[in-house]
Amino acid sequence: MTITPTRSTSIFGNSVKRTEDDGLIRGAEDYTGDLPVEGALHAVFVRSPIAHGTITSIDAAEARSMPGVVAVYVDGELNVNDRPGLPGVVPDAMNRPALARGKVRFVGDIVAVVVAETAGQALDASETVFADIEPLPAVTDIEAALADDAPKLFDDLGSNLVAGDGTGPVEGIFDSADTVVKHTFYNQKLAGVPMEPNACVAIPGEAEKIKMYVSSQGPHGARDALAGDLGVDGANVHVIAPRVGGGFGPKMHAYQEWGIVGAAARALGKPVRWTETRSENMLSMVHGRAQVQYVEMGVKKDGMIVGLRATAIGDAGAYPVLGTILPSLTQLMAQGVYDIPAIDFTWKAVATNTTQIGAYRGAGRPEATQMLERIIDIAADEIGVDPLEMRRKNFLAPDKFPMTSITGAQYDNAEHAKALDAAKQAAGYDALLAEQQKLRSEGSRKAMGIGVASYVEVTAPLGLDVEFGSAQAHPDGTFTVKAGTSAHGQGHETAFTHIASQILDVPMEKVRLVQSDTELVARGAGTAGSRSLQTGGSAIWTASEQLVSRAREIAAHMLEASPDDIEHVSGGFGVKGIADTQVSWAQVATASEDGTGYDPGVGGKQLLEELDFTQGQSSFPFGSHISVVDVDLDTGMVKLRRHIAVDDCGRILNPMLVTGQQHGGIAQGISQALYERVTYDEDGNPTSGNLASYVIPSAADLISYEATNTETPTPLNPLGAKGIGESGTIGSTPAVHNAVVDALSHLGVKHVDMPLTPETVWRAIQGVQGGDPANRQAAGPEYAGEPGPQH
C-alpha cells in the first residue's frame, strides 16, 4: 500500500457543499413530531384566555369522562417541580409553577394538561375543561409596569422590577459637547416563528429513567432542566434533539411543557408526546427584544462623540428567565465600534403580563447597535455632517486592540474602517447621494433613503466560550467526531467533518459527526450566541490534532521507528524517506484496540481523544451595512432596493456557510425593521397571535443581498474564527431603519418607531406635514420622553 502526502491546499476559504441536506430534502429524516413511537399518548394543554387573574376553580370532570382520555392534571396532581427563573438574579417569588397555581399571569399560562389516546381526543376533551378565573388588571407595557400604581404580578413583591444595574453616574458627561441630542427608542417584541414549532416525546424507563426527544438547541441544558422538573439525577434523563426545524434562540429555552409531559409519562408508565399548533407557539414560545431606551449623546460640531447616557428597560414577561439579563448585554455592547470617552448606562428588567422573554437572534446586542446607530444618525442630522463620515471619524483604531471597553467588553481585534470602506465602495455611496439629491430637487413622490450601520457584537458570550469535542479512529478506516453543540440548520456536519478530514488527512465521507444526544456526547453547551465553529469546531480541530499525535506514536512502534521520523500522510503514516514503509489509519486503530505487536502500554484501548476546548473569552465580530430603500410618500410603502453587508467573522472556513448565515440574519433583521411586532390590547389579549395577524415577509417581499466579508482572524482559537450567525441581524435592522428615516428626513421627520409599516410611515409623513398628529412621538426628538404607544 502506497500513501502519498497531500494537504496541498488550505482548509480555509473553500466552499464545501452541505452534506446534511440530502435526507431532509428527501423527507428521510425525522423531526420530533414525526418520530414513530408505538403506543404513545397525546398531550394537549389547556391555557388561560385571561392575562391576569385569580383562579377560583377548575372543572375537569367532563374531560375526564370523555372517550380516550387517560388523565387530566391540574396543579397539585402531577409530580413536577416549580421552575426557577435565574437563580441569584430573579427573585424566588417569581418562580413558575408547572401548572398555574392560584393565579394566571399571561394569556397562554398553563392551567391543565389533558392526556388521551389520540391527539383529536385530547383536543376535544381540553375544550371542556373550564377554569373559573376572576380577572385582575393587566399590564403589558414596559414603562407602565414600573409605575407605582401598576398591577403587581407577584403579590409577595412590592414591584414588577426584576433586576437592574449600571455603570454608575458620570458627572459632567456632556460638559465639552457643542450639541446634545436625545430620543426614546423602542425595540418591539418579536416572536421567533421557527418553521417547526415546539415539540417533545417522553418515554419512561425503569426506575427513575426517562428518555426525552425535544426540539431544542441545547440538549444538555434541556436535560438538566428536566432533571430539576422531575426531581431526579441528570444521569437518569436521556435527551435527544433530532432534526430541528429552526431555532433562532427561542429553542435554547427549556420549556415547562417538556417537564409536564415527562412527568405525565412517568405517572402513566407510557410514552407521551406533544406538538404545538402555530397559534399555541405564538403564545408559549419565548419572545425576543422588547426593550425601551432613553438615549442622549453629546457631540462636537465636527462630529466627534463626547459621551453617551442611556437607560434600557427590558420586558422579562410574566415569569422572568433569560430576558432578565438581556439588557445587561445591551450595556456590555453600548460602546459599539466607537471611541466614546464616557458612558453612563443603566439597565432594568420588568415583569409584565406577557409571554416570557428569552434569546432571539442577537439577544441584547442588536438592541445596543440599534440604539447607537439611530442616535448617531440623529446627531449627524442635527449638526449637518455625513452619517457615514461621522462613523468613520469616531471608529476605534486597529492599534487600540486588544482592549476592554468602558462597559467591560474584552474586544479581541477589529478593522472597522476596512469594513465600512468596502461597504461604501460596493454600494457606490457617492453616486447614491447624487441620485437622492436629484430626486428631491425634482420633487419626486418616491423618496430614496440611504442607511448606514456599523456594529460590533459579542459571540460565545456569558461564559459560552468552552465546548466539548472528540475525535476517534475506527479499525474499519472510518472516524467519528463529537461536539457539544447542537445543529438546527447551520451546517455543523459539513463544517466539523471538513475540519476533521483536513487535520486527519482523510476524505470527508469517512468522518461522521455525532451531536445532540446526551448519552453519546459527554457534555455540551449547545448552539447559541454564534459560538459553534469557534468553540465546537476548535474542540474538534484540537482533538483531531491530538489524535494524529497519538496515532504517530503507535505507528512508530508498528514501523520500528522513532516518532520523530514518522510523517502523517494521506490516509495514514509512514517513515520519512522510505516510501514503501507505511501503515493506514485502520491498521493503527486496530493496533491501538488490540494492543498487539508493540508496547502494550501504548495500546489496548480505543484510538480516541476527547477534551474541552477553552477559548478564554468571547470574540467580537464586526461589520458595516448599507441599505437603500424607496418610500412612496403618498402611501408610506417601503420598498427595498439594495442591501450591502460587509461582515467580518475572522478567518472564514467555508464561504458558502458564512453567506447562508449572512442571508438568513439579514432577512430577520429587515423583518424587525419593516414587518414584525407582537401586540396586545389593553386587557393583555394578544392581537398578533397567528400568522394572519403577525406579519413576516415571504421571499417575494425581500431582495437579493450583496453580502461580502473582510477577514480579521482572532488569536483566541486555532481557526481564527469568530461567530457569524447573528451578525446579519445586528447590522441590517438599523441600516434599514436609518434608510427609511433618511428617505423622509428632507420633510422634517427625525425618527419613526419600528416596525416601519406603510401606515406607520404614512402617519409620520402626515405628522410633519400638518396632517394627522397622532404620530408625534415618531416625528422628532422634541417629543422624546412622552408616553409612547403600547409596546
Side-chain angles (χ1 to χ4, degrees):
M1 177 180 179
T2 301
I3 305 172
T4 56
T6 58
R7 208 168 292 143
S8 59
T9 59
S10 170
I11 184 176
F12 298 102
N14 299 305
S15 288
V16 177
K17 186 178 178 181
R18 288 169 57 108
T19 59
E20 53 264 87
D21 295 341
D22 182 65
L24 296 174
I25 292 169
R26 291 187 293 106
E29 299 189 28
D30 291 325
Y31 295 91
T32 302
D34 302 323
L35 294 169
V37 180
E38 186 175 351
L41 303 172
H42 295 260
V44 169
F45 291 96
V46 179
R47 299 181 183 274
S48 171
I50 293 173
H52 196 198
T54 302
I55 301 172
T56 59
S57 65
I58 301 174
D59 183 358
E62 182 178 352
R64 291 187 169 109
S65 67
M66 291 182 69
V69 173
V70 177
V72 180
Y73 299 106
V74 298
D75 180 54
E77 297 179 349
L78 194 60
N79 188 19
V80 57
N81 294 326
D82 292 359
R83 179 71 67 80
L86 287 178
V89 178
V90 176
D92 290 345
M94 292 181 168
N95 290 354
R96 183 178 182 181
L99 297 159
R101 182 180 305 134
K103 236 188 182 192
V104 292
R105 294 181 173 88
F106 72 105
V107 173
D109 212 347
I110 304 170
V111 173
V113 60
V114 178
V115 183
E117 293 173 356
T118 70
Q121 290 170 335
L123 179 61
D124 288 345
S126 72
E127 292 175 348
T128 70
V129 176
F130 177 73
D132 189 1
I133 301 172
E134 186 66 32
L136 295 169
V139 59
T140 62
D141 180 77
I142 299 172
E143 295 155 298
L146 282 176
D148 291 339
D149 60 351
K152 304 299 186 292
L153 272 72
F154 295 88
D155 298 334
D156 293 341
L157 302 175
S159 168
N160 292 319
L161 180 67
V162 187
D165 204 350
T167 59
V170 178
E171 296 298 327
I173 190 171
F174 299 136
D175 284 355
S176 61
D178 295 319
T179 299
V180 178
V181 293
K182 64 180 180 179
H183 216 289
T184 302
F185 302 132
Y186 296 91
N187 268 260
Q188 74 271 32
K189 179 176 287 194
L190 303 178
V193 200
M195 189 172 292
E196 177 202 20
N198 209 341
C200 69
V201 179
I203 304 174
E206 296 180 0
E208 293 187 332
K209 291 189 176 297
I210 188 168
K211 179 186 286 188
M212 295 282 298
Y213 292 90
V214 296
S215 182
S216 172
Q217 299 173 220
H220 293 85
R223 176 199 61 193
D224 295 343
L226 284 163
D229 289 344
L230 303 177
V232 301
D233 188 273
N236 289 317
V237 182
H238 178 194
V239 172
I240 301 170
R243 291 300 190 185
V244 175
F248 313 123
K251 285 189 182 175
M252 197 64 180
H253 182 73
Y255 285 89
Q256 207 86 5
E257 289 88 343
W258 301 347
I260 296 170
V261 169
R266 292 181 68 201
L268 298 170
K270 291 185 178 181
V272 179
R273 67 190 315 149
W274 165 69
T275 302
E276 279 182 330
T277 64
R278 177 59 62 188
S279 295
E280 190 178 21
N281 176 267
M282 298 295 286
L283 293 178
S284 63
M285 180 166 277
V286 295
H287 292 161
R289 304 289 188 264
Q291 189 181 110
V292 59
Q293 303 161 336
Y294 308 106
V295 188
E296 297 176 87
M297 177 173 278
V299 295
K300 295 280 195 181
K301 291 179 181 177
D302 62 359
M304 293 301 297
I305 299 171
V306 168
L308 174 73
R309 178 184 290 133
T311 296
I313 308 172
D315 188 347
Y319 298 98
V321 283
L322 183 65
T324 304
I325 62 169
L326 295 184
S328 72
L329 282 177
T330 304
Q331 174 180 306
L332 180 71
M333 303 309 298
Q335 185 166 345
V337 299
Y338 304 111
D339 193 356
I340 302 176
I343 297 175
D344 179 338
F345 198 101
T346 301
W347 68 268
K348 300 174 184 177
V350 300
T352 64
N353 294 115
T354 66
T355 299
Q356 293 171 293
I357 298 295
Y360 176 75
R361 206 164 189 167
R365 292 99 81 196
E367 295 89 324
T369 302
Q370 182 74 8
M371 173 189 75
L372 278 172
E373 296 308 290
R374 282 300 302 128
I375 200 67
I376 284 175
D377 257 34
I378 289 171
D381 181 66
E382 182 72 18
I383 61 178
V385 302
D386 181 87
L388 186 149
E389 293 306 322
M390 181 171 173
R391 287 169 170 82
R392 181 200 301 278
K393 179 173 293 201
N394 286 283
F395 278 156
L396 289 162
D399 61 8
K400 291 235 179 211
F401 302 101
M403 62 166 281
T404 301
S405 73
I406 293 174
T407 51
Q410 294 179 282
Y411 293 158
D412 45 359
N413 57 10
E415 291 190 52
H416 300 302
K418 185 177 179 181
L420 181 61
D421 289 345
K424 179 181 179 181
Q425 181 176 357
Y429 185 73
D430 293 337
L432 289 172
L433 290 175
E435 181 183 355
Q436 181 187 60
Q437 196 58 43
K438 181 174 181 292
L439 287 170
R440 289 178 176 178
S441 65
E442 293 172 349
S444 173
R445 297 302 291 169
K446 182 180 75 174
M448 173 185 170
I450 308 162
V452 181
S454 294
Y455 73 90
V456 60
E457 81 127 330
V458 53
T459 59
L462 302 174
L464 294 173
D465 61 309
V466 179
E467 192 50 271
F468 170 81
S470 72
Q472 181 176 1
H474 302 290
D476 64 357
T478 64
F479 301 81
T480 298
V481 294
K482 299 180 180 181
T485 53
S486 186
H488 47 284
Q490 296 86 347
H492 289 183
E493 180 181 296
T494 306
F496 292 172
T497 58
H498 182 197
I499 290 169
S501 73
Q502 292 292 308
I503 300 299
L504 302 173
D505 213 348
V506 297
M508 278 181 66
E509 57 266 26
K510 286 187 174 289
V511 184
R512 181 174 71 103
L513 172 66
V514 173
Q515 58 180 339
S516 309
D517 187 319
T518 61
E519 284 201 353
L520 298 180
V521 182
R523 50 196 171 273
T527 294
S530 303
R531 64 185 296 275
S532 294
L533 185 64
Q534 63 188 298
T535 58
S538 292
I540 287 174
W541 172 292
T542 307
S544 297
E545 287 190 322
Q546 292 184 5
L547 191 70
V548 170
S549 179
R550 183 165 162 236
R552 180 181 281 111
E553 294 180 1
I554 296 172
H557 283 278
M558 296 174 71
L559 297 173
E560 298 181 344
S562 167
D564 293 339
D565 292 330
I566 298 296
E567 63 179 346
H568 179 206
V569 294
S570 179
F573 300 86
V575 179
K576 295 176 184 177
I578 307 177
D580 58 349
T581 307
Q582 297 171 339
V583 290
S584 68
W585 269 106
Q587 291 172 309
V588 174
T590 299
S592 178
E593 290 195 11
D594 64 26
T596 59
Y598 59 96
D599 182 357
V602 179
K605 58 183 180 180
Q606 294 178 325
L607 187 49
L608 165 69
E609 293 293 328
E610 54 185 16
L611 52 85
D612 290 300
F613 172 78
T614 303
Q615 185 166 270
Q617 66 163 78
S618 304
S619 66
F620 292 83
F622 60 92
S624 287
H625 289 211
I626 295 177
S627 196
V628 186
V629 303
D630 292 318
V631 178
D632 187 320
L633 298 181
D634 295 319
T635 66
M637 177 66 72
V638 177
K639 183 178 180 181
L640 296 164
R641 186 194 291 197
R642 296 175 66 194
H643 191 92
I644 299 93
V646 180
D647 299 307
D648 195 309
C649 58
R651 184 178 286 119
I652 294 174
L653 175 71
N654 186 341
M656 185 179 295
L657 295 182
V658 167
T659 301
Q661 289 294 305
Q662 287 177 284
H663 280 230
I666 292 167
Q668 285 187 284
I670 290 173
S671 195
Q672 177 180 4
L674 299 182
Y675 301 102
E676 296 185 52
R677 184 183 177 192
V678 172
T679 54
Y680 298 87
D681 67 17
E682 61 183 8
D683 295 321
N685 297 305
T687 53
S688 55
N690 54 51
L691 294 182
S693 52
Y694 184 86
V695 181
I696 59 173
S698 72
D701 297 305
L702 300 172
I703 58 175
S704 182
Y705 317 121
E706 301 166 50
T708 57
N709 309 95
T710 57
E711 292 189 64
T712 308
T714 181
L716 299 175
N717 62 67
L719 293 164
K722 305 180 183 185
I724 188 60
E726 295 156 303
S727 292
T729 313
I730 293 169
S732 62
T733 304
V736 172
H737 198 171
N738 285 343
V740 174
V741 176
D742 180 61
L744 309 180
S745 61
H746 66 296
L747 304 177
V749 173
K750 303 294 184 180
H751 182 73
V752 185
D753 286 334
M754 299 186 294
L756 304 167
T757 63
E759 179 184 358
T760 301
V761 174
W762 180 84
R763 286 183 178 275
I765 296 168
Q766 297 303 305
V768 297
Q769 291 184 339
D772 188 345
N775 201 43
R776 289 183 301 169
Q777 165 70 17
E782 64 267 24
Y783 298 106
E786 288 189 3
Q790 296 294 301
H791 289 266

